[in-house]
Amino acid sequence: MERRNFLHAVGAASLGAATLGSTQTVTAQETRDGREVVTLENVGAVSPSSPIAPDDGFADLRWLEEGPLVVVRVTNLDATGEGSFKWACEVGYDELNAEDIGRRLIVFEVGGVIDLENTDIQAERKNIYVAGQTAPSPGITLIRVDAPGLEFDEENQFVQHIRSRPGDEISGPSDSMVVGDNGFNVCFDHCSVSWGSEESMSVNASDHSEDITFSNNLIAEGLFDSPAHGGDDQRAYGSLVGNGADRTAILGNLYAHTWSRNPRLKGGTEVTVANNVWYNFERGMRIGGDVDEPNYINVVGNHYRDGPDADTDRPIVYTAHDESDPTISLHTSNNVFDDGYTLVEPDAPWQLESDRIDEYWPADFMPIDGDPYDQVRLHAGARPADRTEIDERILADVENRTGTIIDSQDDVGGYPDLESATRDLEIPDGDVTNWLVQHTRAVELGEAPPGEGGSGPPEIGGTRPTDPDGDGTYNDLTGDGQTTHDDVTVFFENLEDDAVQNNVDSFDFAGNGEVGFADVADLLRRV
């Protein structure tokens, strides 16, 4: 089976309440203060709200399946100290009594604003999954994140549903969220970043970073003329992909009010930029320079939208090379842009490719069919079903062609003041795929989280059904991520069971308000 099909079969639990039997059974410890160990299937293979899944890029998230994970709970909104987010990211496995495990799942029993008070977070630990979707509403927002920023700088790191807003009350230029020099196999998905005084979301590579994915993020309002820069020049940057970064995928993100670096792809980079939306930028995508290595770039199916600070006289894609520099192999197709724009700088020393450069295209990624604008606007950023006022305002700017590039967070109302919340997390023993997926569906689709009616249907015929196509009905009765004749048989044999009859919405395939033989026939037609 091709890798994409494999991932979507295994990871289809991400669209339903499934427990896909793990190859290793580990029971969680009874005590919260002790070592709490769980297993997890690849929850990055399918995204509940977006056609673009975290695993569709170059980052391979199957490391989540390779063994147990120790649960690390964030229990307060403090800047530092045990139970803080900074501690959860930075604490060593030896201090967690988990050196034999070497993988962590970070979950949140608090929601609100974490004021880092001019400190940074440097996650220099391997195998970290930050599951921001587990936080109670309003989710997790970081402010005053000092240089270098919220940095992930190791192998196998996956971050979802976090907001980072450094602002200018810090000591020096800070990225909102960044892959560090040693980042390898890193994915940022469904995050919201703004008010960075350097870049907003970047790969600070030095010939080490590779296999990076930015997917479904809201990247906005970098600071332009800010005292946090040290007064040297203007910024309001979007994304940087540093020299020699191998295989970076920028997929399905929404950029707004980012003056330059949309994105900046330095020398020797291999990047696919696809199905993103850009609004109100002056300088678009600059490629090349700094190192004498060729670039290989795919620019496919993006939407470029004019705004008050835009310069439509500048080409969107331009180069830092001259004729003596290495080759830039560039493929562009199916991009949408407002009248007045030119997509590619004319007469530059491009090697224009008529066909997609498949060697540097994520093998598992199928682009959105047509203009991505509506789809990206709906799903971009942290917690699309539980957005804060700042994200709502930025999205309104994009829709109404309003707003402007800013110098300070004070230009748009200042740092957020969100009400804090707490929620005890009752994490199941053993495999937590179903539990975590329902948290994701809650913040992306507005469904109830686990423990509040959001646990999905019970077991049917000894297995827990899943919803592979995300339509709200559980047409995979056997729990293997596919709809086959075996599912029809299981459904027919258990048609009168209470588990089926008491979950009409889950099994009303015919859409007639009840569960009966019409639904068996409709399910058969789906095979």
Side-chain angles (χ1 to χ4, degrees), residues 4 6-12 14 42-47 53-56 61:
R4 181 179 183 87
F6 169 79
L7 288 173
H8 281 249
V10 173
S14 299
N42 185 0
V43 294
V46 180
S47 178
D55 223 2
D56 283 347
L61 303 178

Side-chain angles (χ1 to χ4, degrees), residues 104-295:
R104 76 185 69 184
L105 169 64
I106 298 176
V107 299
F108 296 82
E109 295 192 323
V110 291
V113 176
I114 298 175
D115 185 348
L116 284 175
E117 302 174 354
N118 300 330
T119 59
D120 61 5
I121 292 178
Q122 297 193 52
E124 297 177 336
R125 306 293 179 183
K126 294 182 179 180
N127 306 318
I128 292 177
Y129 180 11
V130 178
Q133 59 268 49
T134 59
S137 183
I140 296 297
T141 299
L142 308 176
I143 64 170
R144 293 204 290 170
V145 188
D146 213 340
L150 177 55
E151 182 177 55
F152 291 83
D153 193 22
E154 254 298 347
E155 178 180 2
N156 297 341
Q157 296 177 322
F158 181 25
V159 184
Q160 288 189 297
H161 294 290
I162 295 293
R163 307 183 192 98
S164 178
R165 311 196 193 278
D168 58 18
E169 296 180 11
I170 55 176
S171 66
S174 175
D175 290 358
S176 298
M177 190 174 293
V178 59
V179 178
D181 287 349
N182 298 305
F184 170 74
N185 207 41
V186 179
C187 178
F188 298 157
D189 175 72
H190 276 106
C191 294
S192 293
V193 298
S194 58
W195 310 342
S197 52
E198 189 68 23
E199 273 81 34
S200 299
M201 181 177 285
S202 287
V203 184
N204 282 351
S206 58
D207 292 323
H208 296 119
S209 298
E210 59 183 87
D211 292 336
I212 309 299
T213 299
F214 297 162
S215 56
N216 304 308
N217 301 294
L218 176 55
I219 300 164
E221 292 186 336
L223 303 185
F224 185 68
D225 188 7
S226 167
H229 301 157
D232 53 353
D233 56 47
Q234 287 76 35
R235 300 296 213 292
Y237 292 154
S239 293
L240 167 74
V241 179
N243 294 320
D246 296 332
R247 297 180 301 280
T248 297
I250 301 175
L251 309 176
N253 306 284
L254 192 153
Y255 288 74
H257 307 310
T258 47
W259 177 70
S260 183
R261 299 192 174 182
N262 289 298
R264 171 73 168 98
L265 310 178
K266 286 198 168 185
T269 54
E270 305 159 355
V271 186
T272 286
V273 181
N275 286 157
N276 304 281
V277 173
W278 267 275
Y279 167 66
N280 196 36
F281 59 94
E282 180 175 306
R283 301 182 181 184
M285 182 185 306
R286 186 182 182 194
I287 304 174
D290 293 338
V291 298
D292 293 334
E293 298 177 16
N295 295 83

Side-chain angles (χ1 to χ4, degrees), residues 336-406:
V336 179
F337 42 92
D338 285 345
D339 290 343
Y341 278 119
T342 299
L343 180 63
V344 177
E345 179 185 17
D347 304 322
W350 308 107
Q351 182 170 307
L352 297 175
E353 308 288 348
S354 58
D355 296 325
R356 196 175 69 193
I357 309 172
D358 283 340
E359 185 176 356
Y360 304 108
W361 177 272
D364 301 321
F365 176 59
M366 296 182 64
I368 295 170
D369 185 18
D371 187 347
Y373 175 75
D374 287 331
Q375 183 61 249
V376 171
R377 186 168 52 87
L378 288 172
H379 67 60
R383 306 171 75 96
D386 183 32
R387 287 190 170 119
T388 61
E389 182 180 347
I390 293 170
D391 281 1
E392 292 284 11
R393 175 182 54 77
I394 292 167
L395 288 164
D397 281 352
V398 176
E399 179 67 6
N400 300 322
R401 299 183 188 263
T402 53
T404 187
I405 292 170
I406 65 173

Side-chain angles (χ1 to χ4, degrees), residues 385-449:
D386 183 32
R387 287 190 170 119
T388 61
E389 182 180 347
I390 293 170
D391 281 1
E392 292 284 11
R393 175 182 54 77
I394 292 167
L395 288 164
D397 281 352
V398 176
E399 179 67 6
N400 300 322
R401 299 183 188 263
T402 53
T404 187
I405 292 170
I406 65 173
D407 297 327
S408 169
Q409 71 279 350
D410 293 335
D411 296 342
V412 286
Y415 288 115
D417 181 17
L418 303 175
E419 187 173 348
S420 60
T422 60
R423 176 175 63 195
D424 290 338
L425 290 178
E426 297 185 7
I427 302 177
D429 291 347
D431 189 283
V432 297
T433 302
N434 170 50
W435 176 85
L436 185 56
V437 163
Q438 193 57 40
H439 276 292
T440 308
R441 293 181 66 86
V443 302
E444 292 188 23
L445 300 178
E447 296 183 0

